[in-house]
Amino acid sequence: MDAHELPASEKAQLTHELLNQEYKWRKLEPRRSHMHELISTMLSHRTNHKDEEMAYNTMLERFGDWEGIMNADFDALADAIQTTRYPEQKVPQIQRTLRMIKEERGEINIDFLEDMPVEDALNWLMKLPGVGLKTATLVLLFNFKKPVMPVDTHVFRISQRVGLIGAKATANKAHSILLEILPPEPVELYNFHIHMLRHGQRICTFYSPKCEECVLNSICNYYQDVRQKGIDKAA
């Protein structure tokens, strides 16, 4: 059996090992406060990191704190986050999210998720406007060290090309598929996510992936079945 014909579970382990060797191993420590992570992730939808950070910083500079942002004028808040895509959609989502947290918890704080079971925490976060599975899992893994698997565009693309998930799998379904075939420890899941993100930005890009430079090409369905046979000549 050729390496690219291995079962998805074995491929997942090899992918994880190869990317661990290729990229720096990271400790799992929150990069920012819990509320910062939640709101910044909402701002990041279809927006690059630089513009997301600019929007977040401008928003806080202008309105001071979460209460100020929650009660801000719509147009003023939309102007503050104008570096993001679709600010007119994100303003009501952010303000409603802050209001829901305040009404339910008595303060704008999500520290309580630390002690909540994973499924309950996921369901609670996904009740918030504009918070889907990707945002919820990212917050729970990055900030609360919960064993969940965030699937962004890079993780999804590489997983399909290598053959960790099927061609018809949705991004939401990929969360559970990958979680089943990867080590269950949060730090392992975190490094898999970060390394796949880095690899997707540098090597396994959407257009013109650099397959010849890729450490995964020996186990990759796309490389072995498409690129090597010259089927994808435009890539």
Side-chain angles (χ1 to χ4, degrees):
M1 178 186 293
D2 292 334
H4 78 289
E5 297 175 325
L6 290 169
S9 58
E10 293 185 38
K11 276 193 178 186
Q13 294 296 329
L14 280 171
T15 298
H16 189 37
E17 291 170 10
L18 290 167
L19 293 182
N20 283 345
Q21 295 169 16
E22 186 73 6
Y23 301 105
K24 182 179 179 181
W25 180 265
R26 299 190 186 188
K27 292 182 179 180
L28 176 50
E29 297 295 343
R31 57 183 176 174
R32 44 201 184 187
S33 71
H34 302 334
M35 283 300 303
H36 185 164
E37 191 69 64
L38 173 62
I39 301 302
S40 277
T41 305
M42 294 173 69
L43 288 170
S44 72
H45 180 61
R46 295 186 180 274
T47 301
N48 65 46
H49 181 69
K50 179 181 177 181
D51 289 341
E52 166 217 315
E53 287 279 285
M54 186 178 298
Y56 180 87
N57 291 333
T58 301
M59 182 174 67
L60 278 182
E61 286 170 5
R62 292 189 185 178
F63 304 108
D65 56 20
W66 299 123
E67 292 277 352
I69 293 167
M70 182 177 69
N71 297 312
D73 173 76
F74 180 97
D75 291 335
L77 184 52
D79 183 70
I81 65 169
Q82 63 178 312
T83 56
T84 70
R85 298 286 300 275
Y86 313 118
E88 70 285 349
Q89 295 178 16
K90 292 175 181 176
V91 165
Q93 290 174 347
I94 289 170
Q95 290 187 317
R96 285 171 56 207
T97 287
L98 296 175
R99 194 164 291 114
M100 285 176 67
I101 295 172
K102 175 73 178 293
E103 289 174 355
E104 180 170 329
R105 307 301 305 183
E107 59 180 345
I108 304 176
N109 189 309
I110 58 171
D111 292 358
F112 67 93
L113 293 174
E114 180 78 38
D115 301 318
M116 189 175 279
V118 175
E119 286 302 317
D120 292 345
L122 276 173
N123 291 333
W124 190 91
L125 282 169
M126 289 170 61
K127 290 190 306 182
L128 302 174
V131 177
L133 184 58
K134 183 180 73 172
T135 297
T137 50
L138 190 144
V139 170
L140 291 179
L141 177 62
F142 280 37
N143 280 64
F144 297 99
K145 302 182 182 180
K146 303 285 189 183
V148 292
M149 184 65 240
V151 177
D152 63 12
T153 56
H154 301 291
V155 174
F156 186 67
R157 179 173 65 252
I158 298 171
S159 295
Q160 281 198 323
R161 284 177 175 170
V162 172
L164 307 185
I165 59 176
K168 295 183 178 181
T170 63
N172 277 2
K173 184 62 176 175
H175 286 81
S176 57
I177 295 173
L178 291 173
L179 195 59
E180 289 176 1
I181 60 177
L182 288 166
E185 295 81 12
V187 67
E188 301 283 354
L189 297 170
Y190 172 74
N191 275 278
F192 182 85
H193 174 88
I194 292 294
H195 294 164
M196 291 280 269
L197 169 64
R198 177 74 64 84
H199 199 63
Q201 292 171 333
R202 294 177 57 184
I203 303 295
C204 194
T205 52
F206 184 80
Y207 295 110
S208 302
K210 303 177 180 67
C211 293
E212 288 70 24
E213 301 176 29
C214 181
V215 297
L216 304 177
N217 59 27
S218 66
I219 62 171
C220 178
N221 289 356
Y222 173 78
Y223 180 71
Q224 299 293 334
D225 295 337
V226 178
R227 179 63 67 85
Q228 284 281 74
K229 296 178 180 179
I231 296 172
D232 189 24
K233 295 183 182 298

